Amino acid sequence: MERLFTKLCMLIVVALALQMHGNKGCLEKERIALLAIKPFIINATFYYDERNYTVESWVDDGVSDCCDWYRVECSTTTGRVMNLSLSSLLYGSTTILNFSLFQPLEQLQILDLSYNSFEGWVDSRGLANLRNLEFLDLSSNMISGSLQQANLRNLKSLDLSYNKISGSLQHANLRNLEFLDLHDNGMIGSLQELGICNFKNLIELDLSENNFEGHLPPCVNNLTILRALDLSSNQLIGNIPSINLMQSLEYLSLQDNNFEGMFSFSSLVNLSKLEIFELSTKNSTLQVLETENFLLPPNQLKFLYLSKCNLHGIPSFLMYQHSLEFIDLSHNKLVGMVPTWLLQNNTRLQGMYLMNNSLAGTLQLPNSTHDLLELKISNNNLNGQLPMNIAVILLRLVTLDLSKNSFEGYIPSSMGEMKSLNKLDLSSNNFSGELPKAFVSGCSSLELLKLSNNKFHGEIFPHFMNMTQLTWLNLDNNQFSGKIQDGLWKAKLLYVLDLSSNSFSGQIPDWIGNFSFLSYIVLSNNLLEGGVPVQLSNLRDLWILDISENRLSGSMSSSFNLSSSVEKLCMQKNALNGSIPNAFLRTTDLLILDLSDNEFSGSIPIQIGKAPNLGFLLLGGNHLKGNIPHELCQFKYLSILDLSRNRLNGTIPSCFTNILTWVEQSNATDRIRPGLGWSIPDNGYSVASNNYTTLAFKQVDSFLRPTEETEIGFVSKNRYESYKGRILGYMLGIDLSSNELTGDIPIDIGNLQKIIAMNLSRNFLSGSIPESFSNLSNIESLDLSHNKLSGRIPPQLTQLSTLSTFNVSINNLSGLVPDKGQFGTFVESSYGGNPGLCGPQIKRSCGSSEPTTPPATPSGAGEEEQEDESAIDMVSFYWSLFASYVTTIMGFVLILWLNSYWRKQWFCFIDACIISSYCWILRNVFNRYDDL
């Protein structure tokens, strides 16, 4: 009977469910509501999912259960929609969010609309009717406007980070909010005006990375149940007020603001639950008290960030901390020894950052083993050798950064026992010796090995090398030698390889093209020889290839190809020959192409216009011939063009005015990244909320920036300069010198207003100097020497206030030399070889009237007749003098050979001269020595 009653109840429940849901798992009106949302995302795909899931499962077939639809979760008991995730479905297409679409979903508790492209919302009343909605995520959209009229009274958690929200919260209906995230919205104004002190139910508040100004209002003490407060990366000023009333606070971040005055840790004395504290300043006016007597708080900090706080010593209260898990005292003014006692007192310490201080002495370690994972003491004044027992004491180290110090000696062999070591940076020290066998064979977990700028020597990459996880390898600026051995081939995951400025010899190994992930290759300034292996064509993700300043030779194979992802290609200062491969010019991302000082021949390929993003083209010092192709004018963003020291002929293209950077966009070179290096992910500590309830540590990606910067060599102001960093971003120049160019200088060249350096010297250019050159408002160096230019120097050029180097020597110019402005500073050599010029600068009087321009050479006259007469006379004089000497000597020898009497008299004369010289030496030298 009881069993029958149970079955009957089950049948009744099923009947009621069927009647309620119409033979479906979810409510009919909720299914219709979801179908009404579908048109907004019907063509969108899930941004992060490689399987490209879509909402095509949302079908109106009268059969499917909407609770089974993709991204929809229903209650297992009521069948009502509880969780709706539409994250990333509208990425890339802007739209307005209409909250009324969600109104039928009355039991909805979680709504995730993050990572879309919403620009704003309408009808927030629909959101207010969702009385069960507790979690709303609108982060990473483009929502702008104010929250003044937002009616979100039932919400507990609101995430609006990474948007463009502005205005105040004074009148927003957010009274039940417990968690509010407005991170990175660009909000301005004061915290007082924002109205945060009215939300007394807040548990977590994130206002970081905005532009809030003014003081930290004392009313924050009213948020008595607040557990997490993040005000980092704003513009807050003034003294930090006491926040002793916020006794529930566990996490407080005030870093990266403009606080000033004195800060005392006694202001935190009542925060007994505080575990995480972050403080730093932008303007270096905040002073943290290092030694003070106060009643210590009962809590034990876990995370302490005191970077950029003007600390000269370790705060004394840290002597009583024993639960620290992470401490960052970087970018201060700490002196003395490394505070090893922090490790001894805090056995759970996992990370200690002391970068950029003034710590000195040797590196002292604790007396017993420690489980420290990260130790960073770069950019200090530490010296001496590494402790031999470092692998015993710090066996579990994952990251060790001792770069930019003065350490010396060898790498201890014991470091081969550090099986967990993942990142090792010993760059910019005075280490020497060979790498120990135990080290290269034992550190099998190393991903980053940076030994740059030391004095290591010996051969590298032996067959027993066992660094199979290597991803970043930097051995540049050392004294390594020998061949690149195949032990490196075991590092299948290699991404960055920098062996520059060593003494590596032999050929570039063919197997270097078999790395699947290799993107950065720098082998410059070595002794490598042979050809460029065609196997480099296999590197599909190659980004930077620099094999300059070696002894490479031979022509490039016609089968040589390059990945379209290559941005920087440098092969200068080798002996490569043949024609320039077309493969170099098919890389659409190419920014830098430097093939200068080789033996390339043939013409400049017209395919060069297929690299539209090219910013630096250097082909100087080769054997190129033919015309300058007009396809060069397709480079809208070209910064430096060097075609000097070739055999190019024809005229200068007038279409250079199509290159925007030379005409109007002085800052267009900002698109060329000065560092063109790499970023090294580095697991650093950060603090974040976990499920809005528990504060916890998590590791996030930070970046070690490369020290190597893109460097471009270019002749300016009569000297070879290397430009890099920010200076490279401002350098705009043309060098067409030492070619066989003819014809007039195009008038349009004068419209290149942003050019800084222009060199057209040592060609056969004729005609006059264009008056339009007065428009070169940024020009600093202008060289037109060793040409056939005629006419006068345009007086309009005196308007060029930035011109510091000017050379028009060895031409056929005439008339008065300008002497106003910058032209009053140029020396006589700037005008030499122009007999028609006159003026005080060249100490040649112009007489009563200004000399006129010499008559034009009659049509048909030979090219020799147009040469400067003074130059022709000098050549004739040198040849005549040489002929005279040769004739005289040969005649004298012939006379002596034919007449024996004269020959005998000549030899007697020579003997007499020798004896006379010998007697003079005895009389005037040795006699004086005897007198002494």
Side-chain angles (χ1 to χ4, degrees), residues 85-368:
S85 176
L86 302 180
S87 174
S88 307
L89 286 179
L90 295 175
Y91 196 90
S93 57
T94 58
T95 186
I96 300 296
L97 175 61
N98 190 345
F99 279 122
S100 63
L101 293 173
F102 304 98
Q103 188 169 346
L105 308 177
E106 298 175 353
Q107 299 299 316
L108 192 63
Q109 293 183 358
I110 300 175
L111 178 58
D112 186 357
L113 300 171
S114 61
Y115 290 96
N116 287 296
S117 299
F118 295 124
E119 291 184 329
W121 62 59
V122 296
D123 197 5
S124 60
R125 293 173 298 176
L127 186 61
N129 291 330
L130 299 176
R131 300 182 182 279
N132 292 297
L133 189 65
E134 296 183 356
F135 180 98
L136 177 60
D137 191 348
L138 291 169
S139 62
S140 301
N141 281 281
M142 295 185 293
I143 299 173
S144 59
S146 174
L147 290 174
Q148 282 277 17
Q149 306 302 321
N151 190 2
L152 310 173
R153 61 185 179 184
N154 298 318
L155 277 182
K156 291 185 177 180
S157 174
L158 176 60
D159 190 347
L160 289 170
S161 58
Y162 301 104
N163 279 287
K164 301 176 183 179
I165 300 296
S166 61
S168 173
L169 305 177
Q170 294 279 10
H171 303 291
N173 193 351
L174 302 169
R175 60 173 178 263
N176 291 317
L177 267 186
E178 297 179 359
F179 310 98
L180 177 60
D181 190 347
L182 292 172
H183 169 81
D184 197 2
N185 270 278
M187 303 183 75
I188 60 176
S190 68
L191 296 178
Q192 189 79 43
E193 296 169 348
L194 183 65
I196 61 170
C197 298
N198 298 331
F199 303 107
K200 298 184 179 180
N201 292 322
L202 279 177
I203 296 177
E204 296 189 16
L205 175 61
D206 187 350
L207 300 176
S208 60
E209 294 195 38
N210 283 287
N211 291 306
F212 290 116
E213 302 173 341
H215 296 72
L216 182 61
C219 68
V220 295
N221 276 301
N222 297 336
L223 306 178
T224 55
I225 66 172
L226 195 67
R227 295 175 56 192
L229 176 60
D230 193 342
L231 299 175
S232 61
S233 301
N234 280 286
Q235 307 294 331
L236 300 177
I237 62 174
N239 295 324
I240 301 175
S242 175
I243 49 179
N244 274 325
L245 299 181
M246 303 173 67
Q247 298 183 11
S248 297
L249 210 57
E250 300 177 20
Y251 166 49
L252 176 60
S253 179
L254 302 176
Q255 64 171 316
D256 199 24
N257 278 283
N258 296 317
F259 292 121
E260 55 192 23
M262 306 296 292
F263 173 77
S264 171
F265 284 98
S266 61
S267 61
L268 308 178
V269 69
N270 290 335
L271 305 184
S272 59
K273 297 182 180 179
L274 189 65
E275 296 182 350
I276 301 161
F277 180 63
E278 299 177 339
L279 177 63
S280 67
T281 181
K282 296 178 181 177
N283 53 19
S284 301
T285 58
L286 178 69
Q287 179 66 58
V288 175
L289 292 178
E290 301 154 7
T291 304
E292 53 183 333
N293 297 318
F294 59 86
L295 200 58
L296 293 173
N299 64 304
Q300 289 286 314
L301 291 174
K302 292 183 178 179
F303 181 106
L304 180 61
Y305 180 96
L306 292 177
S307 178
K308 301 177 183 177
C309 287
N310 289 310
L311 289 171
H312 292 79
I314 307 294
S316 57
F317 85 97
L318 287 176
M319 294 290 295
Y320 307 97
Q321 294 291 316
H322 303 284
S323 300
L324 283 173
E325 297 179 12
F326 177 84
I327 184 169
D328 188 344
L329 301 176
S330 60
H331 307 288
N332 282 292
K333 302 174 183 178
L334 300 178
V335 296
M337 304 286 287
V338 174
T340 307
W341 54 268
L342 281 172
L343 294 174
Q344 295 173 337
N345 290 359
N346 297 273
T347 57
R348 288 180 287 183
L349 195 64
Q350 298 182 28
M352 184 164 69
Y353 291 1
L354 300 169
M355 304 91 71
N356 195 21
N357 280 286
S358 299
L359 299 173
T362 59
L363 178 61
Q364 301 293 327
L365 298 179
N367 298 324
S368 57

Side-chain angles (χ1 to χ4, degrees), residues 48-65:
Y48 294 110
D49 198 328
E50 294 179 355
R51 293 172 291 180
N52 288 326
Y53 283 145
T54 69
V55 292
E56 293 178 356
S57 62
W58 296 20
V59 293
D60 188 12
D61 57 2
V63 177
S64 64
D65 183 359

